[in-house]
PDB file of all heavy atoms in Angstrom:
ATOM      1  N   ILE A 484      17.195  15.826  -1.533  1.00  0.00           N
ATOM      2  CA  ILE A 484      16.109  15.916  -0.573  1.00  0.00           C
ATOM      3  C   ILE A 484      16.016  17.393  -0.148  1.00  0.00           C
ATOM      4  O   ILE A 484      17.008  17.947   0.266  1.00  0.00           O
ATOM      5  CB  ILE A 484      16.259  14.956   0.643  1.00  0.00           C
ATOM      6  CG1 ILE A 484      17.609  14.982   1.224  1.00  0.00           C
ATOM      7  CG2 ILE A 484      15.899  13.539   0.160  1.00  0.00           C
ATOM      8  CD1 ILE A 484      17.766  14.197   2.514  1.00  0.00           C
ATOM      9  N   TYR A 486      15.112  20.991   1.706  1.00  0.00           N
ATOM     10  CA  TYR A 486      14.983  21.486   3.045  1.00  0.00           C
ATOM     11  C   TYR A 486      13.445  21.624   3.345  1.00  0.00           C
ATOM     12  O   TYR A 486      12.769  22.346   2.622  1.00  0.00           O
ATOM     13  CB  TYR A 486      15.679  22.785   3.270  1.00  0.00           C
ATOM     14  CG  TYR A 486      17.155  22.652   3.316  1.00  0.00           C
ATOM     15  CD1 TYR A 486      17.964  23.491   2.543  1.00  0.00           C
ATOM     16  CD2 TYR A 486      17.741  21.740   4.204  1.00  0.00           C
ATOM     17  CE1 TYR A 486      19.358  23.372   2.631  1.00  0.00           C
ATOM     18  CE2 TYR A 486      19.141  21.622   4.280  1.00  0.00           C
ATOM     19  CZ  TYR A 486      19.937  22.400   3.483  1.00  0.00           C
ATOM     20  OH  TYR A 486      21.255  22.326   3.553  1.00  0.00           O
ATOM     21  N   HIS A 492       9.193  25.793  -4.290  1.00  0.00           N
ATOM     22  CA  HIS A 492       9.166  26.770  -5.330  1.00  0.00           C
ATOM     23  C   HIS A 492       9.543  26.187  -6.687  1.00  0.00           C
ATOM     24  O   HIS A 492       9.918  24.960  -6.742  1.00  0.00           O
ATOM     25  CB  HIS A 492       9.958  28.049  -4.963  1.00  0.00           C
ATOM     26  CG  HIS A 492      11.360  27.804  -4.720  1.00  0.00           C
ATOM     27  ND1 HIS A 492      12.245  27.271  -5.688  1.00  0.00           N
ATOM     28  CD2 HIS A 492      12.188  28.077  -3.656  1.00  0.00           C
ATOM     29  CE1 HIS A 492      13.482  27.241  -5.208  1.00  0.00           C
ATOM     30  NE2 HIS A 492      13.444  27.736  -3.945  1.00  0.00           N
ATOM     31  N   THR A 498      14.035  20.593 -10.724  1.00  0.00           N
ATOM     32  CA  THR A 498      14.811  19.361 -10.587  1.00  0.00           C
ATOM     33  C   THR A 498      13.887  18.143 -10.516  1.00  0.00           C
ATOM     34  O   THR A 498      14.150  17.110 -11.204  1.00  0.00           O
ATOM     35  CB  THR A 498      15.550  19.366  -9.200  1.00  0.00           C
ATOM     36  OG1 THR A 498      16.116  20.657  -8.968  1.00  0.00           O
ATOM     37  CG2 THR A 498      16.622  18.324  -9.168  1.00  0.00           C
ATOM     38  N   ASP A 523      14.761  16.896   3.715  1.00  0.00           N
ATOM     39  CA  ASP A 523      15.939  16.978   4.569  1.00  0.00           C
ATOM     40  C   ASP A 523      15.444  17.707   5.826  1.00  0.00           C
ATOM     41  O   ASP A 523      15.056  18.878   5.757  1.00  0.00           O
ATOM     42  CB  ASP A 523      16.975  17.821   3.840  1.00  0.00           C
ATOM     43  CG  ASP A 523      18.314  17.836   4.501  1.00  0.00           C
ATOM     44  OD1 ASP A 523      18.436  17.311   5.630  1.00  0.00           O
ATOM     45  OD2 ASP A 523      19.254  18.373   3.835  1.00  0.00           O
ATOM     46  N   GLY A 740      21.092  20.581  -8.180  1.00  0.00           N
ATOM     47  CA  GLY A 740      21.398  21.932  -8.734  1.00  0.00           C
ATOM     48  C   GLY A 740      22.906  22.165  -8.487  1.00  0.00           C
ATOM     49  O   GLY A 740      23.500  21.545  -7.634  1.00  0.00           O
ATOM     50  N   ASP A 742      24.423  24.323  -7.021  1.00  0.00           N
ATOM     51  CA  ASP A 742      24.768  24.886  -5.657  1.00  0.00           C
ATOM     52  C   ASP A 742      25.275  23.771  -4.766  1.00  0.00           C
ATOM     53  O   ASP A 742      25.989  24.073  -3.822  1.00  0.00           O
ATOM     54  CB  ASP A 742      23.531  25.575  -5.021  1.00  0.00           C
ATOM     55  CG  ASP A 742      22.267  24.764  -5.221  1.00  0.00           C
ATOM     56  OD1 ASP A 742      22.158  23.977  -6.195  1.00  0.00           O
ATOM     57  OD2 ASP A 742      21.361  24.945  -4.363  1.00  0.00           O
ATOM     58  N   ILE A 743      24.889  22.526  -5.047  1.00  0.00           N
ATOM     59  CA  ILE A 743      25.248  21.467  -4.119  1.00  0.00           C
ATOM     60  C   ILE A 743      26.090  20.413  -4.756  1.00  0.00           C
ATOM     61  O   ILE A 743      26.125  19.248  -4.356  1.00  0.00           O
ATOM     62  CB  ILE A 743      23.984  20.866  -3.425  1.00  0.00           C
ATOM     63  CG1 ILE A 743      22.972  20.359  -4.444  1.00  0.00           C
ATOM     64  CG2 ILE A 743      23.313  21.882  -2.502  1.00  0.00           C
ATOM     65  CD1 ILE A 743      21.804  19.614  -3.776  1.00  0.00           C
ATOM     66  N   LEU A 772      17.415  28.562 -11.871  1.00  0.00           N
ATOM     67  CA  LEU A 772      16.435  29.470 -12.354  1.00  0.00           C
ATOM     68  C   LEU A 772      16.692  30.803 -11.671  1.00  0.00           C
ATOM     69  O   LEU A 772      16.851  30.863 -10.439  1.00  0.00           O
ATOM     70  CB  LEU A 772      15.026  29.031 -11.987  1.00  0.00           C
ATOM     71  CG  LEU A 772      14.623  27.609 -12.517  1.00  0.00           C
ATOM     72  CD1 LEU A 772      13.121  27.367 -12.212  1.00  0.00           C
ATOM     73  CD2 LEU A 772      14.863  27.511 -14.001  1.00  0.00           C
ATOM     74  N   MET A 779      16.988  32.157  -7.824  1.00  0.00           N
ATOM     75  CA  MET A 779      15.705  32.328  -7.117  1.00  0.00           C
ATOM     76  C   MET A 779      15.690  31.616  -5.831  1.00  0.00           C
ATOM     77  O   MET A 779      16.117  30.477  -5.734  1.00  0.00           O
ATOM     78  CB  MET A 779      14.587  31.719  -8.034  1.00  0.00           C
ATOM     79  CG  MET A 779      13.251  32.152  -7.615  1.00  0.00           C
ATOM     80  SD  MET A 779      12.046  31.097  -8.397  1.00  0.00           S
ATOM     81  CE  MET A 779      12.534  29.583  -7.800  1.00  0.00           C
TER      82      MET A 779
HETATM   83  N1  LIG B  27      18.717  19.786   1.601  1.00  0.00           N
HETATM   84  C1  LIG B  27      19.722  20.137   0.657  1.00  0.00           C
HETATM   85  C2  LIG B  27      19.973  19.001  -0.253  1.00  0.00           C
HETATM   86  C3  LIG B  27      20.385  17.775   0.378  1.00  0.00           C
HETATM   87  S1  LIG B  27      20.589  16.493  -0.805  1.00  0.00           S
HETATM   88  C4  LIG B  27      21.374  15.226   0.028  1.00  0.00           C
HETATM   89  C5  LIG B  27      19.312  21.380  -0.141  1.00  0.00           C
HETATM   90  N2  LIG B  27      17.994  21.565  -0.231  1.00  0.00           N
HETATM   91  S2  LIG B  27      17.255  22.793  -0.991  1.00  0.00           S
HETATM   92  O1  LIG B  27      15.902  22.699  -0.589  1.00  0.00           O
HETATM   93  O2  LIG B  27      18.004  23.990  -0.851  1.00  0.00           O
HETATM   94  O3  LIG B  27      17.211  22.321  -2.484  1.00  0.00           O
HETATM   95  C6  LIG B  27      18.293  22.382  -3.275  1.00  0.00           C
HETATM   96  C7  LIG B  27      17.934  21.966  -4.673  1.00  0.00           C
HETATM   97  O4  LIG B  27      16.677  22.529  -5.143  1.00  0.00           O
HETATM   98  C8  LIG B  27      18.996  22.476  -5.613  1.00  0.00           C
HETATM   99  O5  LIG B  27      20.096  21.640  -5.626  1.00  0.00           O
HETATM  100  C9  LIG B  27      18.197  22.434  -6.920  1.00  0.00           C
HETATM  101  O6  LIG B  27      18.139  21.078  -7.357  1.00  0.00           O
HETATM  102  C10 LIG B  27      16.833  22.954  -6.518  1.00  0.00           C
HETATM  103  N3  LIG B  27      16.784  24.365  -6.558  1.00  0.00           N
HETATM  104  C11 LIG B  27      16.558  25.232  -5.514  1.00  0.00           C
HETATM  105  N4  LIG B  27      16.559  26.480  -5.994  1.00  0.00           N
HETATM  106  C12 LIG B  27      16.754  26.470  -7.301  1.00  0.00           C
HETATM  107  C13 LIG B  27      16.818  27.466  -8.364  1.00  0.00           C
HETATM  108  N5  LIG B  27      16.645  28.731  -8.124  1.00  0.00           N
HETATM  109  N6  LIG B  27      17.033  27.022  -9.594  1.00  0.00           N
HETATM  110  C14 LIG B  27      17.192  25.687  -9.922  1.00  0.00           C
HETATM  111  N7  LIG B  27      17.131  24.769  -9.004  1.00  0.00           N
HETATM  112  C15 LIG B  27      16.933  25.102  -7.704  1.00  0.00           C
HETATM  113  O7  LIG B  27      20.126  21.984  -0.718  1.00  0.00           O
END
Side-chain angles (χ1 to χ4, degrees):
I484 47 170
Y486 286 130
H492 60 58
T498 318
D523 189 352
D742 45 333
I743 55 174
L772 301 188
M779 192 193 62

